[in-house]
Amino acid sequence: MEARNGEADDLPPPPPLNAGDEPLKVEEIKVPLKPKRSLVPRNGFGKRGQPIKLVTNHFKVSLKNTEEFFYHYYVNLKYEDDTPVDRKGAGRKVIDKLQQTYAAELANKDFAYDGEKSLFTIGALPQRNDEFTVVVEDSSTGKTPANGSPSNDSPPGGDRKRVRRPYNTKTYKVGISYAAKIPMSAIAQALRGQESEHTQEAIRVIDIILRQHSAKQGCLLVRQSFFHNNPANFVDLGGGVMGCRGFHSSFRATQSGLSLNIDASTTMIVKPGPVIDFLLANQNVPNPDRIDWSKAKRALKSLRIKTSPANSEYKIVGLSDRPCSEQMFTLKHRNGDNGDSEEISVYDYFVKNRGIELRYSGGYPCINVGKPKRPTYFPIELCNLVPLQRYTKALSTLQRSSLVEKSRQKPLERMSLLSDVLQRSNYDSEPMLMACGISISKSFTEVDGRILQPPKLKAGNGEDIFTRNGRWNFNNKVLIRASSVEKWAVVNFSARCNVRNLVQDLVKCGAMKGIRVEQPFSLFEENPSMRRAPAVRRVEDMFEQVKTKLPGAPKFLLCVLADRKNSDVYGPWKKKCLAEFGIVTQCVAPTRVNDQYLTNVLLKINAKLGGLNSMLQVETAPAIPLVSKVPTLILGMDVSHGSPGQSDVPSIAAVVSSREWPLISKYRASVRSQSAKMEMIDSLFKPNGTADDGLIRECLIDFYTSSGKRKPDQIIIFRDGVSESQFNQVLNIELDQIIEACKFLDEKWNPKFTLIVAQKNHHTKFFMPGKPDNVPPGTVVDNKVCHPRNYDFYMCSHAGMIGTTRPTHYHILHDEIGFSPDDLQELVHSLSYVYQRSTTAISVVAPICYAHLAAAQVGQFIKFEEMSETSSSHGGHTSAGSVPVQELPRLHEKVSSSMFFC
């Protein structure tokens, strides 16, 4: 657009678009765009609590050369015919070779290369743009001796002429073009709390240097973690999958400077060794005759193998259509010029021509490592899977629990492992780090923590509950608001359970806790002929029984299942009860029934039926700073995604909201599905003509009706599951939608907002030096390893009983309510004590925990078909996807405000 009469000449250029932003069309820009909110700075430090000296797995980094610049170059890898290089992992070999071959032309510089498209140097390369030709010996095909005779491993099936070249080599073209220059001083600035736009980039470069250091030692790299090929680090999870222990490492800018955060980490790998052993374990079959080969083909695709006897490496493309003894190929003979050829089976070729004994391969398909049009076959018993190959499919429930159990480490064990890896990693010898003047301390950073007093709890009859080490019990106490269990029945899908005894025990235990459990109206046993039927049919059949035999709709159904973890009846049953009929239901799969078990079941039933088990004393008073004086709504928001092996399963967004102010112990939940892997919630505000079909409206209306017709003047939002790179979207897009939903209800209403993000998947851990125990519950840290400028703190509110406690990292993005640091930390601590399902403090505030539970439970309503087994997660979208998403059934109005997720 040209400037008219110079009026636009002095306007600044438009701001650059963030990735994922859509440019607005002219007609859409009616209102002036709101100024962007930015993260609030830290507003002081907490003082309450008993001081405690801790150490953390951050290691101080010192930096000498801050005058230098990193130069960023864009790498373009092509084969000699100009087709782009598609093979993952080829890049590092090519760049290493480039560095050796053209050292002089590249001013003998060291590279930091990320394995993909980016390469960094300290100081500039002589040319801004250059193309180099690099020849690499290709390890993925059999090597051939120089005299041109076939190697003892040249595979059949392909064209034998290929092996005449002296060595199998590949030629690449490497384009290197200048992209940007990054001052190292940006790191020093960050440490003074003045981040510039280059800080993250500069820190990324030194991250890449460390990754490269690990790659050169032959480690498997997974994002920020590295894994050594050391069998002592492998644990078998069954199914041909192993857990591999390794280390996470990343640089963080903190209040006390730059630190390297190192933590133990685990990934899944395919069990190395004979391919046939992997397939037997993967399919859990006793012998190769039972292998399902179409399944095997999917499981093996793209894995790398070494073939014996020559030890050459290949990538598996597929399997032969016929067994090894019947799979024919054309063998060309070399004697004479006429080049005779014969048809021979792969089996005969290896046994007769090569003299290799094959014990069992004849009857099974061959492994194909060739090109689509030119297969190259090996008998399966000559193929071994290479170590350190990631397994990216979803784990079964058993594998997952085995992984968790086997990768736990007690605090002292973890500390010694981390010290050990730092000593061994030998970062001081890394030439790039030396050139930057970077050195990394070998000792853990010391921090000051504080232990907050646990909040006081109340049970029924005005009794106090005493907590010890983040735990309490209801022995000889009654629940503070006990519901009664009436008009109810039991349905039994399990042949093993003695249901009559269970019911009598529940009645007895309920009476001790103050819950009146009436005798159930009826007990419905599943018709044994239905046991083999599909889950949905079994549930339908059971409901037919319930409808014909009960006088009216029951208020509560107890459902006895056979397996606790993966019962296929669970989802359809919950959907039938909660979405279709509006009946509160509790599922149990009892193995050992004792008082503890019964009490836990009753705690859940009581909460679902509208009762409360315990409350905070400050809630009953009510005396919560800022919250008890003004109507305050607390929201917990989370998005749950399908497991890694299911890339097409919709993600599920849940918003949990508090009700009956001034309580902060009672909640309800609203849930919606959205595009797979999308982290931002797209249904907070959904205007549809004169209605709003969004999640927030439901929460606001419920608060209003349950809190004596009061609108909340303050809204505290706890958001889970977003990374730092998404804070701005939560603060500007999601918060805007929440405000829009409020305005839609009442234009003149301006509640104040406080927005807090809770993160669990970070790698900061705290230890008590020299003590074997985890840090005590209530430990909070808001100094040293916290952010230099933003407002954050770490809290361990729970007692870590197993492994090493993982603190929750809370980031305050926005605070209009104006909490003091102490009041905010106390509120967060208190919200870890209001979780109605257990008699322990939990590790993250209850509204977030409830949002997880609600999303998981409603997600079970739709059994999304196991999508293609081979697809693994595609990158997350952050804007609304264009694919239509299967809608979740809405909860029946009778249960929509209940704590059905408890």
Side-chain angles (χ1 to χ4, degrees):
M1 185 177 80
E2 287 180 23
R4 277 196 307 264
N5 313 335
E7 47 180 56
D9 280 348
D10 50 2
L11 288 178
L17 282 178
N18 293 330
D21 285 2
E22 290 281 323
L24 292 172
K25 300 186 186 67
V26 176
E27 64 271 18
E28 290 179 26
I29 310 176
K30 297 208 172 70
V31 287
L33 290 171
K34 287 192 210 67
K36 282 191 100 168
R37 295 182 196 91
S38 51
L39 307 186
V40 294
R42 181 177 300 284
N43 124 30
F45 297 90
K47 299 193 176 48
R48 283 180 213 151
Q50 171 197 341
I52 178 174
K53 289 275 180 217
L54 303 169
V55 295
T56 175
N57 55 341
H58 283 242
F59 301 87
K60 201 165 174 38
V61 176
S62 51
L63 198 72
K64 292 198 189 63
N65 304 350
T66 52
E67 302 311 305
E68 286 280 9
F69 285 84
F70 289 122
Y71 279 72
H72 179 188
Y73 293 89
Y74 181 72
V75 176
N76 185 12
L77 285 184
K78 293 185 294 198
Y79 293 115
E80 54 190 327
D81 60 358
D82 283 343
T83 53
V85 172
D86 50 357
R87 249 184 59 216
K88 263 206 147 95
R92 286 191 194 275
K93 283 190 192 124
V94 177
I95 296 294
D96 280 350
K97 189 72 187 202
L98 167 83
Q99 213 171 348
Q100 291 163 24
T101 318
Y102 296 99
E105 291 91 323
L106 297 165
N108 290 311
K109 286 211 175 288
D110 287 307
F111 291 168
Y113 174 54
D114 72 351
E116 300 276 329
K117 301 272 190 229
S118 290
L119 182 142
F120 300 88
T121 56
I122 298 171
L125 291 174
Q127 300 288 333
R128 280 175 79 92
N129 283 316
D130 232 333
E131 187 164 271
F132 300 90
T133 303
V134 178
V135 179
V136 179
E137 285 166 12
D138 188 14
S139 68
S140 77
T141 50
K143 297 272 184 5
T144 310
N147 62 11
S149 64
S151 77
N152 63 348
D153 199 20
S154 70
D159 185 342
R160 297 293 301 282
K161 282 190 226 142
R162 282 185 295 170
V163 292
R164 284 181 186 254
R165 271 200 286 181
Y167 256 102
N168 242 318
T169 56
K170 270 215 170 99
T171 305
Y172 296 90
K173 290 183 187 169
V174 184
I176 290 185
S177 50
Y178 170 79
K181 127 179 183 189
I182 305 159
M184 278 193 211
S185 56
I187 298 177
Q189 279 173 304
L191 309 184
R192 294 196 294 271
Q194 314 156 317
E195 271 192 54
S196 67
E197 73 266 43
H198 294 300
T199 304
Q200 285 310 335
E201 292 170 14
I203 290 178
R204 183 175 149 235
V205 180
I206 50 180
D207 260 337
I208 287 168
I209 297 172
L210 285 203
R211 283 174 58 85
Q212 176 173 286
H213 183 75
S214 302
K216 283 184 176 154
Q217 298 172 348
C219 292
L220 163 69
L221 299 183
V222 183
R223 291 189 289 281
Q224 300 264 248
S225 299
F226 56 94
F227 302 89
H228 290 275
N229 183 20
N230 173 359
N233 296 337
F234 302 161
V235 292
D236 202 326
L237 305 178
V241 184
M242 305 191 91
C244 175
R245 283 203 291 262
F247 297 93
H248 160 96
S249 76
S250 60
F251 288 100
R252 317 278 310 165
T254 68
Q255 285 171 31
S256 60
L258 186 66
S259 68
L260 178 64
N261 176 205
I262 296 189
D263 193 19
S265 160
T266 310
T267 192
M268 279 87 66
I269 58 171
V270 172
K271 190 172 184 170
V275 168
I276 201 84
D277 292 357
F278 166 72
L279 291 176
L280 294 175
N282 186 248
Q283 300 190 10
N284 192 16
V285 290
N287 60 53
D289 296 334
R290 308 279 291 277
I291 289 175
D292 171 340
W293 290 100
S294 59
K295 226 177 180 177
K297 186 172 167 181
R298 286 200 299 268
L300 291 174
K301 191 169 165 46
S302 298
L303 291 177
R304 297 191 318 283
I305 52 167
K306 279 206 160 139
T307 55
S308 54
N311 222 14
S312 308
E313 194 174 305
Y314 301 91
K315 186 161 137 191
I316 298 179
V317 177
L319 298 173
S320 60
D321 298 331
R322 310 182 68 81
C324 182
S325 56
E326 297 170 24
Q327 182 63 53
M328 308 302 283
F329 73 101
T330 308
L331 176 64
K332 295 187 175 157
H333 293 295
R334 293 262 171 103
N335 43 3
D337 296 328
N338 54 0
D340 298 346
S341 61
E342 62 167 311
E343 288 290 307
I344 184 170
S345 73
V346 175
Y347 183 85
D348 287 346
Y349 167 76
F350 276 93
V351 174
K352 294 180 182 160
N353 295 31
R354 300 276 299 279
I356 294 171
E357 184 196 355
L358 294 179
R359 295 192 321 284
Y360 60 78
S361 296
Y364 306 121
C366 309
I367 301 281
N368 176 10
V369 298
K371 294 270 187 297
K373 296 222 165 53
R374 233 174 23 180
T376 301
Y377 296 122
F378 280 101
I380 198 159
E381 71 191 82
L382 301 184
C383 301
N384 283 294
L385 289 164
V386 174
L388 289 187
Q389 301 192 70
R390 282 188 74 196
Y391 179 84
T392 53
K393 301 184 176 64
L395 291 182
S396 70
T397 313
L398 281 167
Q399 286 172 325
R400 188 173 294 121
S401 55
S402 171
L403 178 68
V404 169
E405 196 178 321
K406 290 175 177 168
S407 47
R408 282 181 191 138
Q409 292 156 341
K410 286 272 179 234
L412 282 178
E413 182 192 352
R414 187 172 288 234
M415 277 182 84
S416 73
L417 268 169
L418 297 180
S419 299
D420 203 36
V421 74
L422 201 57
Q423 304 295 341
R424 277 208 319 269
S425 57
N426 197 8
Y427 289 134
D428 300 345
S429 67
E430 170 59 53
M432 287 286 285
L433 290 181
M434 283 155 71
C436 307
I438 286 178
S439 57
I440 298 166
S441 155
K442 300 270 198 291
S443 53
F444 286 73
T445 299
E446 294 177 1
V447 294
D448 297 318
R450 290 170 291 115
I451 306 167
L452 301 181
Q453 280 291 308
K456 293 192 168 60
L457 295 175
K458 286 289 207 194
N461 300 337
E463 286 190 70
D464 292 321
I465 296 177
F466 295 102
T467 61
R468 243 189 87 229
N469 196 25
R471 309 173 80 76
W472 62 94
N473 61 46
F474 280 104
N475 295 351
N476 310 322
K477 291 191 173 54
V478 297
L479 309 183
I480 193 160
R481 284 194 192 173
S483 53
S484 54
V485 182
E486 53 194 27
K487 286 199 179 157
W488 70 290
V490 187
V491 302
N492 183 16
F493 288 101
S494 164
R496 295 196 294 274
C497 182
N498 182 335
V499 181
R500 285 198 160 64
N501 288 2
L502 178 70
V503 168
Q504 291 325 310
D505 290 344
L506 266 180
V507 171
K508 213 160 53 207
C509 187
M512 287 156 63
K513 299 288 170 270
I515 298 179
R516 198 176 89 255
V517 182
E518 293 184 351
Q519 287 298 329
F521 187 85
S522 189
L523 160 56
F524 298 99
E525 292 283 354
E526 180 172 36
N527 182 340
S529 65
M530 293 300 293
R531 292 250 153 86
R532 295 263 171 277
V536 177
R537 283 275 325 280
R538 294 173 67 186
V539 168
E540 291 286 347
D541 186 73
M542 186 64 89
F543 255 92
E544 281 310 310
Q545 280 199 58
V546 171
K547 282 198 295 213
T548 49
K549 303 221 177 104
L550 289 185
K555 284 190 177 169
F556 173 70
L557 286 173
L558 182 70
C559 171
V560 182
L561 299 173
D563 350 301
R564 189 162 154 260
K565 276 279 185 260
N566 34 6
S567 163
D568 54 351
V569 174
Y570 181 85
W573 174 259
K574 286 285 183 188
K575 178 183 172 188
K576 199 84 176 150
C577 290
L578 295 173
E580 290 183 37
F581 289 102
I583 300 169
V584 176
T585 173
Q586 174 65 47
C587 294
V588 290
T591 40
R592 283 200 318 276
V593 175
N594 53 21
D595 268 7
Q596 181 63 51
Y597 179 83
L598 294 165
T599 302
N600 284 349
V601 170
L602 283 161
L603 292 180
K604 294 165 79 166
I605 293 173
N606 188 45
K608 287 176 177 177
L609 288 172
L612 268 178
N613 302 326
S614 61
M615 276 161 70
L616 301 171
Q617 191 178 329
V618 284
E619 240 178 324
T620 55
I624 305 164
L626 297 178
V627 173
S628 299
K629 298 190 176 57
V630 176
T632 303
L633 168 68
I634 297 176
L635 299 177
M637 309 197 325
D638 184 35
V639 177
S640 77
H641 306 293
S643 52
Q646 311 168 300
S647 56
D648 328 357
V649 174
S651 292
I652 294 176
V655 177
V656 159
S657 56
S658 62
R659 50 199 318 262
E660 295 182 35
W661 176 82
L663 293 188
I664 60 169
S665 289
K666 277 205 105 164
Y667 293 87
R668 66 178 299 284
S670 300
V671 184
R672 301 273 194 283
S673 55
Q674 59 184 39
S675 307
K677 302 281 179 280
M678 185 170 86
E679 191 44 73
M680 289 299 120
I681 302 180
D682 69 356
S683 48
L684 294 169
F685 174 54
K686 283 205 127 151
N688 180 1
T690 54
D692 162 15
D693 192 33
L695 287 161
I696 295 297
R697 180 189 172 89
E698 293 179 21
C699 303
L700 296 172
I701 289 173
D702 179 81
F703 182 91
Y704 183 76
T705 52
S706 70
S707 306
K709 303 273 191 286
R710 286 190 195 81
K711 286 197 197 87
D713 291 326
Q714 299 176 156
I715 299 180
I716 302 170
I717 303 161
F718 287 98
R719 176 69 161 96
D720 189 28
V722 288
S723 60
E724 280 175 59
S725 59
Q726 296 164 316
F727 285 179
N728 270 316
Q729 287 174 289
V730 173
L731 184 56
N732 287 294
I733 301 171
E734 288 190 345
L735 184 53
D736 272 352
Q737 288 204 357
I738 294 171
I739 292 170
E740 295 272 340
C742 294
K743 293 280 181 214
F744 198 87
L745 276 172
D746 177 354
E747 191 53 51
K748 295 193 280 296
W749 171 37
N750 287 312
K752 289 178 176 170
F753 287 92
T754 290
L755 171 56
I756 301 170
V757 168
Q759 283 179 336
K760 287 282 286 185
N761 53 356
H762 56 83
H763 289 273
T764 297
K765 301 282 194 304
F766 297 110
F767 305 91
M768 294 191 287
K771 288 198 180 157
D773 308 323
N774 271 310
V775 298
T779 300
V780 63
V781 173
D782 61 3
N783 58 65
K784 278 264 185 76
V785 286
C786 289
H787 196 280
R789 193 186 57 253
N790 299 348
Y791 189 1
D792 64 336
F793 61 88
Y794 290 93
M795 181 173 290
C796 301
S797 45
H798 65 303
M801 305 309 278
I802 40 187
T804 303
T805 300
R806 176 181 302 201
T808 300
H809 192 182
Y810 291 98
H811 303 259
I812 296 83
L813 306 191
H814 189 70
D815 179 26
E816 295 171 338
I817 298 174
F819 285 96
S820 71
D822 275 325
D823 285 345
L824 193 59
Q825 289 167 16
E826 293 254 320
L827 176 66
V828 164
H829 189 215
S830 299
L831 283 169
S832 306
Y833 277 78
V834 301
Y835 187 60
Q836 298 296 309
R837 281 165 53 114
S838 71
T839 53
T840 58
I842 53 174
S843 62
V844 66
V845 291
I848 278 181
C849 246
Y850 289 149
H852 278 303
L853 291 171
Q857 193 172 121
V858 177
Q860 294 268 338
F861 282 13
I862 307 180
K863 255 291 175 254
F864 298 106
E865 297 319 305
E866 291 300 320
M867 305 292 175
S868 57
E869 284 186 38
T870 46
S871 62
S872 73
S873 55
H874 307 307
H877 309 284
T878 42
S879 61
S882 47
V883 216
V885 175
Q886 189 174 354
E887 288 249 346
L888 289 170
R890 297 290 167 90
L891 295 174
H892 194 285
E893 61 204 20
K894 283 196 209 156
V895 294
S896 61
S897 292
S898 72
M899 288 177 68
F900 69 86
F901 41 79
C902 240

